[in-house]
Amino acid sequence: MTVNMKFPIPSVVFTTLLLSSHAAVAAAPPAEAFFGEPEISKAVLSPKGNYVAYLYTDAQRRQMVQVRDTRNLKSATIAAVSKSEDAPIYSIHWVNEDRLTFTVKDLRVEFEGNYEEIAVNRDGSNVTHLISGNWYHRQEKTGSHMKDRVLTAAYAYYGPTHDGSDDIVVEKHIWNNIDRQPDTSRLYRLNTRTRTLSDLLPGTQPGRVQAWLLDTDDTPRIAYSKDKGRCILSYREKDGKDWTEISNAECYRDTVFAPEFFDSRNTLYVTANYKGHKALYTFDIAKRQRAADPLLVLEGFDFNGSPHIDYAARKLLGLDFLSDARSTVWFDPAMKAAQQKIDALVPGRSNRISCSADCRDPVALLVESSSDRQPTEYLVYTPATNAIVSLGGRHPAIKRADMGQREFHRIAARDGLKIPLYVTTPPGKAEGPLPVVMLVHGGPWVRGSSWEWDDEAQFLASRGYLVLQPEFRGSRGFGVAHFKAGWQQWGRTMQDDLADTAQWAIKQGLADPRRIAIMGASYGGYATLMGLIRNPELFRCGIDLVGVTDIDLMFTSARGDFSEHSLRYDMRTLIGDPDKDADVFRQNSPVALAGQLTQPLLIAHGAEDRRVPIEHAKRLRSALSGNNKQLEWVVYADEGHGLRHENNRIDFYKRVDAFLQGACK
């Protein structure tokens, strides 16, 4: 059976898009309402559906894991409380119906890692420290068996087991003494009460493993490795010891298929090309061949999703996926009916359902609900009574009626390539062309946005700005050709797509051509700088957060965290060769072109950034010192590549607000 999902492209409706910037500004919620720690987040349903756990942040900014009985939601039990603001809880995982674990990140250390893992009963008893976050002691001492004591920071939570035991799966990262990133990893079972560690793999494993795929019995079956520019897939039978190579291809260029998941009947599902886009197929491992027809095709989009599996019934129930918005296709009639009932109770939203491990007769379903104007809210649905109850949401101070609408479009670039685009409009009445902020996503080889709630876009829209978020060439999720069109195009056709988006908005009568700002983080920061340089006639001012300023420095900085493999292979494919393309790098690096950057500019960077070290920002600041008198500069001493701390996020967006109203006016 092939499910072909089509998504109509909405046309521009001028009566809703030509809005006033004045009515929106007066009632704009403060930055804290958008960028403060969420009140309720990370909700997860227990394996049998009897309980839901979630992260709650109180008025004193304390985080705690709360648990509610889905059969009686009136009272909450506190299972855990975070130690400090510098150690927030990042995720919550059920182990079984009585026990859960949660992950804590030490924000005093910027780079990835330093994750604590702690287990606790749902009533707060029997706390067990499983993994230490002391990064400086990540390696084991020689001869240690690590059987019954706290694991080092080399280990991290990987996933649950599905057998009702007290075990979880953990991943041990192994370094090569050259890179800051791990070279390979290995999987283990860890008992959350006794801390007993047991190997999940018999014998040896493939080298340089970057990712694993487990079947529904929690057995590693696929290992994904990268070596010398090649992506290698190795497979083992459920009870086998030997690994067999089933694919060995040049990364990015020759990859034929990508494993996605096993269902409970041991069928492997993969993504592979279908008319230029990735579709979902079943795969015959023995024949190393995908099925003739895809299971799921998303017209105009690559498949990007995850399965719903009933572990008790050993059945694939449905698939979550992302097209222009998040959605679900259900193969199971009962779950399809439940989705329809929930959508009727909560209309106009994307309602993502979580089912327990046994979905045949669920006690309750957890619903993660959001829309373009509604921040994520968590609801519990009881099938027996068709009742739905809200647990609360991420940003309860924000009212749907005060937010703007988001629309999805595809517009034509100058060479004819179709550029997906999200447009967020301010609330209010139509009065004429609007001031614009173009948000450029980071990556850049990722999907940038979706139709659902976007903190940043709605914050800007609430201030009266039309927000444009183009999925420029090189972005993923929109077909192979769209992705490859961005290879080695930093500062060139990738930049043209941004200019073409601005021109489209002007021609549609949506954008005031004298009031267009450009803004982004990481690659988006780079594109902001290049937008000001390449198209000063379009972009009035810019905001650069942790942006790249020198392409060559990405390859040469001693503080950077890219692995040798990435520098030698991946980045040369996607960005270019620092030796052969040295002139091209200089011609498209903001530092080398700083004399042309004269518009108002806000630069913000983290002092501890490893992905884009602060020397990028410092070099640009130095280069601009004699040319740009409209530079605003802020360094966050305790931040890395992004804004993890609540106070810094709020401070940054208050600066953005003031900058746009002042220097960019």
Side-chain angles (χ1 to χ4, degrees):
M1 176 184 67
T2 297
V3 180
N4 194 322
M5 308 293 286
K6 296 184 179 181
F7 306 94
I9 307 303
S11 59
V12 179
V13 181
F14 290 95
T15 57
T16 60
L17 290 183
L18 300 181
L19 304 177
S20 167
S21 64
H22 303 294
V25 173
E32 289 85 348
F34 294 88
F35 303 107
E37 288 295 329
E39 181 172 290
I40 290 181
S41 61
K42 308 182 191 308
V44 285
L45 193 66
S46 66
K48 294 184 179 179
N50 292 312
Y51 304 96
V52 59
Y54 55 86
L55 186 62
Y56 172 68
T57 303
D58 67 12
Q60 288 72 45
R61 319 318 294 149
R62 294 181 305 166
Q63 284 187 326
M64 57 195 76
V65 178
Q66 292 190 343
V67 178
R68 290 183 187 267
D69 189 323
T70 58
R71 297 153 296 184
N72 180 11
L73 293 166
K74 293 182 180 180
S75 62
T77 300
I78 297 175
V81 179
S82 64
K83 295 181 290 186
S84 73
E85 291 183 4
D86 286 326
I89 297 171
Y90 260 38
S91 55
I92 303 169
H93 325 103
W94 283 99
V95 180
N96 52 45
E97 209 66 6
D98 297 315
R99 195 156 175 80
L100 47 83
T101 73
F102 58 95
T103 306
V104 175
K105 165 67 177 175
D106 187 347
L107 294 186
R108 293 170 296 181
V109 179
E110 183 276 327
F111 47 81
E112 291 303 317
N114 255 49
Y115 293 108
E116 305 261 352
E117 194 70 24
I118 299 167
V120 63
N121 285 357
R122 56 180 165 80
D123 62 0
S125 63
N126 292 313
V127 178
T128 307
H129 193 180
L130 301 175
I131 298 173
S132 167
N134 188 344
W135 188 252
Y136 300 102
H137 297 90
R138 70 188 187 195
Q139 301 290 6
E140 301 170 10
K141 295 180 180 180
T142 303
S144 171
H145 295 290
M146 302 292 292
K147 291 293 185 184
D148 57 0
R149 62 184 176 88
V150 179
L151 299 177
T152 71
Y155 292 82
Y157 176 88
Y158 182 87
T161 57
H162 301 88
D163 56 6
S165 71
D166 290 323
D167 292 355
I168 59 173
V169 179
V170 296
E171 182 175 20
K172 181 186 178 184
H173 297 110
I174 302 167
W175 282 260
N176 57 17
N177 296 320
I178 298 174
D179 298 322
R180 287 192 172 95
Q181 301 294 334
D183 183 66
T184 190
S185 71
R186 193 172 178 88
L187 297 180
Y188 297 83
R189 284 179 74 107
L190 176 66
N191 187 283
T192 62
R193 295 185 186 274
T194 66
R195 292 194 292 234
T196 299
L197 189 71
S198 56
D199 204 328
L200 262 182
L201 293 164
T204 59
Q205 67 178 52
R208 306 197 68 173
V209 177
Q210 304 297 300
W212 298 93
L213 187 62
L214 280 60
D215 63 19
T216 53
D217 292 319
D218 311 313
T219 302
R221 303 288 297 282
I222 300 265
Y224 169 74
S225 305
K226 295 180 76 172
D227 188 41
K228 297 179 180 179
R230 301 191 70 81
C231 289
I232 304 162
L233 295 172
S234 302
Y235 169 81
R236 63 184 283 264
E237 296 290 345
K238 181 179 290 289
D239 299 318
K241 294 183 178 180
D242 298 326
W243 292 87
T244 301
E245 203 173 89
I246 59 173
S247 177
N248 188 322
E250 186 178 352
C251 296
Y252 302 111
R253 298 184 185 276
D254 299 328
T255 302
V256 177
F257 67 92
E260 297 291 337
F261 61 92
F262 285 91
D263 68 13
S264 54
R265 299 186 180 184
N266 204 34
T267 301
L268 176 63
Y269 293 77
V270 304
T271 48
N273 183 56
Y274 177 83
K275 297 182 179 180
H277 290 79
K278 291 195 301 183
L280 187 68
Y281 291 83
T282 57
F283 187 83
D284 188 324
I285 294 175
K287 296 180 180 179
R288 300 188 189 182
Q289 183 178 345
R290 71 188 191 197
D293 297 317
L295 175 68
L296 183 62
V297 177
L298 306 177
E299 189 167 307
F301 300 90
D302 294 324
F303 173 79
N304 177 10
S306 57
H308 287 274
I309 296 175
D310 186 324
Y311 288 87
R314 306 192 70 80
K315 180 181 179 182
L316 176 64
L317 301 177
L319 296 161
D320 286 336
F321 63 88
L322 175 61
S323 56
D324 60 327
R326 301 185 183 280
S327 190
T328 305
V329 56
W330 292 106
F331 308 125
D332 179 75
M335 290 304 299
K336 184 176 181 179
Q339 180 80 60
Q340 292 171 343
K341 291 177 181 178
I342 290 168
D343 289 343
L345 291 169
V346 194
R349 298 193 199 176
S350 170
N351 298 311
R352 303 288 292 273
I353 299 174
S354 294
C355 184
S356 60
D358 184 348
C359 298
R360 291 170 294 182
D361 186 20
V363 175
L365 299 173
L366 177 65
V367 183
E368 184 176 324
S369 181
S370 66
S371 74
D372 56 342
R373 303 167 68 192
Q374 172 70 50
T376 299
E377 181 182 10
Y378 297 96
L379 309 110
V380 174
Y381 174 73
T382 305
T385 60
N386 197 39
I388 196 162
V389 177
S390 174
L391 297 174
R394 292 178 61 87
H395 302 303
I398 290 175
K399 307 304 179 186
R400 181 182 182 278
D402 296 335
M403 297 296 106
Q405 293 181 330
R406 286 168 63 79
E407 298 281 353
F408 179 76
H409 305 265
R410 292 186 193 264
I411 66 172
R414 64 191 67 181
D415 62 357
L417 186 71
K418 294 295 184 181
I419 306 300
L421 170 67
Y422 287 93
V423 178
T424 306
T425 60
K429 296 181 180 179
E431 285 190 8
L434 293 166
V436 172
V437 178
M438 179 175 291
L439 282 181
V440 187
H441 71 72
W445 305 287
V446 297
R447 171 76 179 261
S449 194
S450 181
W451 170 78
E452 291 80 13
W453 174 264
D454 184 307
D455 291 337
E456 199 171 35
Q458 288 290 3
F459 171 74
L460 294 167
S462 73
R463 268 69 186 158
Y465 301 100
L466 182 79
V467 182
L468 305 176
Q469 293 174 280
E471 301 282 355
F472 48 85
R473 69 192 66 204
S475 302
R476 295 207 184 196
F478 304 97
V480 176
H482 192 84
F483 171 48
K484 289 189 174 181
W487 291 8
Q488 301 184 16
Q489 292 298 311
W490 283 44
R492 298 191 276 181
T493 56
M494 293 171 77
Q495 208 67 41
D496 292 342
D497 292 345
L498 306 183
D500 293 347
T501 299
Q503 291 285 14
W504 172 85
I506 293 170
K507 291 176 182 177
Q508 296 294 324
L510 308 177
D512 182 341
R514 299 165 299 174
R515 295 188 294 169
I516 302 178
I518 185 169
M519 173 179 174
S522 194
Y523 172 82
Y526 164 85
T528 291
L529 300 170
M530 290 302 295
L532 297 174
I533 292 166
R534 294 282 190 236
N535 298 104
E537 78 285 0
L538 285 175
F539 299 115
R540 171 75 177 82
C541 59
I543 299 164
D544 158 30
L545 174 63
V546 298
V548 173
T549 69
D550 185 337
I551 300 176
D552 187 69
L553 190 58
M554 297 175 68
F555 291 83
T556 60
S557 174
R559 286 178 55 84
D561 66 354
F562 289 108
S563 69
E564 284 295 317
H565 187 276
S566 291
L567 293 171
R568 185 171 296 183
Y569 299 103
D570 298 354
M571 292 172 62
R572 290 173 189 243
T573 296
L574 299 173
I575 300 175
D577 188 306
D579 299 318
K580 296 177 182 178
D581 300 321
D583 289 341
V584 175
F585 282 12
R586 281 192 295 272
Q587 293 165 12
N588 293 283
S589 288
V591 163
L593 305 170
Q596 302 174 46
L597 209 169
T598 58
Q599 302 98 312
L601 175 63
L602 169 60
I603 295 178
H605 218 96
E608 299 299 321
D609 196 340
R610 299 290 185 120
R611 177 49 50 97
V612 181
I614 196 171
E615 57 191 302
H616 279 266
K618 288 181 175 179
R619 287 188 183 188
L620 181 62
R621 185 189 189 191
S622 177
L624 291 172
S625 60
N627 302 315
N628 194 319
K629 305 300 182 182
Q630 304 179 83
L631 173 64
E632 295 189 26
W633 168 270
V634 59
V635 174
Y636 295 105
D638 55 352
E639 293 288 5
H641 195 58
L643 298 173
R644 297 179 187 264
H645 294 80
E646 178 184 51
N647 61 318
N648 292 335
R649 285 196 305 275
I650 294 169
D651 176 80
F652 172 71
Y653 284 101
K654 285 182 175 179
R655 291 174 184 267
V656 167
D657 194 3
F659 180 78
L660 290 172
Q661 292 186 48
C664 288
K665 191 171 181 180

